Amino acid sequence: MVKAVKTELGVVSFRMSLKMLALLFRISPAFRKEIVNKDTGFVFNARYQFSTRDDKVHIFLIINEGNVRTGPGKISNPDVIIYYKDKETLARIFSKSPEESLDYLLSNEMSYTGNMSYLTRFSYITTLANNLLSKKKASEESKLFARIQDIDQGEKRRKLQNETLDKKVDAVKFLEDPYLGRLTLEDFPRLKYLKNKRFSTKPAVCSERARLLTEFHRKKGFETDQSGAPWHPGLRQALAMKHVMSHKKPVITDRQLIAGSTTAKEVGVPVYPELIGTTIWPELTTIMDRELNPNDLSEEEARILNFEVFPYWMDRNVREHCRREFGNPVSQQLEERFVLYFMMKNNAISHTIPDFRKVVEEGLESVGKEARKREQEATDQDQILFYRSLYAAVEGVLAYAENLKHEALDQIAAMDPEDPEQAVRIAELKKIAKVCERVPAKPARTVYEGLMAIWISFVCLHVENRQFRSLHRPSGPDSPAPAGQGNGPGQDR
């Protein structure tokens, strides 16, 4: 009897919480901006249905042109239906954190049908409401949480026994021991420093890619181009990536000899809103406090994602394209019941090994010229646009390499050549600038140029899509081998 009364009170509390949300949208300018944003022109219209699986409780929330209403009962055409195992589950879930809500999805106590972005946006809004008086602010980005020199120390350090081979395999020509078993990080102080710095720096969510991609589509269109004609998907993607790579921040960090990074942070986490990036929406104010994989997120980055990026992709992401194209197929419904089947292939084009040999041996200028030639020779419109897309993509990669060159030169200009340590770094940066001026545009002549060409290409591929999982085997028998000598500046050994 007591449990039943407590449950009924919980359901009433759930309904009152929705009414409180509706009130906040009316009286709070900050909350109202979540549904009517005059700065971006975004108006959030949504139809939520909350139901228990036993069909005993039905509550709705409708947001339409700045007006919000809620009440008992079912509504037609909801954007998302959130199902709860029973009354007890519904009664206790509203005040849960995003991490706890995910636990409910994984345990099947809660499930949903419909647009996942509407679910994550609702979770974000309720998090704001629940933390109205004690909103957590992000900590400083990329903050060192441990001294670099201490990372290797401590009782938890795992001791590994190096394995030696002492014979040549896989067409190895020059290494007596391809396993390098007698070497440790102590033999490579630069690598040791970079490794320790990486593991002493807290990762930070980076909105750069998501912001630039959204910026391009807001200006050039997504479903159609500026003239109103349907986009060729390849050309749209290529031009979008050209915009991103041409404008992304060129990063060359302290003591690095390889230029470029997938994000604008020293240790960054990119976001792919066109895939499943909106799933972090509920955590924009809490992600730094996660128990597992916490990441820094500045208030400005969170603002960009919340107001400028995620709203644009709510109905344009790959999940919703699939739902519209195939009529909410059973396979997708099963995938969204995470307790049954959990996969992230909708967040990638799967495991792919790019043709780095062509990049190293021929250079991308050659690829671009060949694309231009084939575009001019083609008679089929789809082929013409494909080759035009390829050329645009190459332009984006080469623009990024050019920006890296200028970043190296800018760092040199800020240094004092009379300082012995800075003089060493100036020499390294000059070499980096020279290498980026050549590759990946032209064929690599040295191992250093080859590695830089591969890395810059890999960064661009990763900016386009999150799951280019492998750099192949640079030491394997089929790997490119530049004919020139020299491995670049400042080798430790």
Side-chain angles (χ1 to χ4, degrees), residues 167-311:
K167 65 179 180 180
K168 296 176 181 179
V169 295
D170 291 342
V172 171
K173 295 181 180 180
F174 302 110
L175 294 176
E176 295 299 330
D177 175 22
Y179 282 14
L180 305 177
R182 292 181 175 82
L183 300 175
T184 71
L185 273 182
E186 300 301 326
D187 296 292
F188 304 96
R190 185 193 301 270
L191 290 180
K192 181 180 178 182
Y193 170 82
L194 293 173
K195 188 269 290 185
N196 289 348
K197 189 174 183 183
R198 163 62 184 88
F199 287 107
S200 65
T201 304
K202 188 176 179 181
V205 175
C206 179
S207 68
E208 179 189 61
R209 178 199 178 275
R211 174 180 56 79
L212 290 172
L213 182 68
T214 307
E215 176 183 279
F216 172 85
H217 285 299
R218 284 190 185 278
K219 183 177 181 180
K220 302 293 186 179
F222 183 79
E223 293 81 5
T224 60
D225 62 21
Q226 287 176 299
S227 70
W231 270 108
H232 178 275
L235 184 59
R236 178 183 66 182
Q237 181 74 352
L239 291 175
M241 286 303 105
K242 177 183 175 182
H243 176 81
V244 173
M245 297 313 304
S246 299
H247 293 84
K248 95 180 240 72
K249 180 181 178 181
V251 175
I252 305 174
T253 57
D254 177 39
R255 297 189 67 177
Q256 267 288 5
L257 299 178
I258 302 296
S261 173
T262 54
T263 72
K265 315 291 184 184
E266 184 157 354
V267 180
V269 182
V271 180
Y272 300 80
E274 76 278 27
L275 302 175
I276 61 170
T278 59
T279 55
I280 68 165
W281 210 337
E283 298 184 274
L284 293 184
T285 62
T286 62
I287 195 169
M288 64 289 298
D289 297 320
R290 277 180 179 174
E291 183 176 353
L292 297 175
N293 299 323
N295 299 292
D296 282 342
L297 178 59
S298 70
E299 288 188 83
E300 176 60 14
E301 301 267 7
R303 184 198 66 77
I304 290 171
L305 293 174
N306 182 47
F307 290 119
E308 299 178 18
V309 174
F310 289 165

Side-chain angles (χ1 to χ4, degrees), residues 402-416:
E402 181 73 7
N403 292 340
L404 287 170
K405 180 190 80 171
H406 287 295
E407 172 63 18
L409 295 176
D410 289 344
Q411 290 190 21
I412 291 172
M415 291 184 173
D416 179 7

Side-chain angles (χ1 to χ4, degrees), residues 3 8 18 57 69 75 111 165-166 169 200 221 254 269 277 324 338 345 366 398 410 415 429 465 483:
K3 182 179 179 181
E8 292 300 325
L18 292 180
V57 177
R69 60 189 181 93
I75 56 174
S111 59
L165 188 63
D166 291 329
V169 295
S200 65
D254 177 39
V269 182
R324 287 191 302 271
F338 294 153
K345 295 304 179 188
S366 172
L398 299 186
D410 289 344
M415 291 184 173
L429 289 167
N465 192 277

Side-chain angles (χ1 to χ4, degrees), residues 102 105-106 116 276 279 319 334-346:
L102 179 60
L105 281 173
L106 294 175
M116 188 182 191
I276 61 170
T279 55
R319 281 179 177 272
L334 291 175
E335 192 271 333
E336 290 174 345
R337 295 294 287 270
F338 294 153
V339 67
L340 175 68
Y341 179 60
F342 191 78
M343 56 88 82
M344 286 292 117
K345 295 304 179 188
N346 49 24

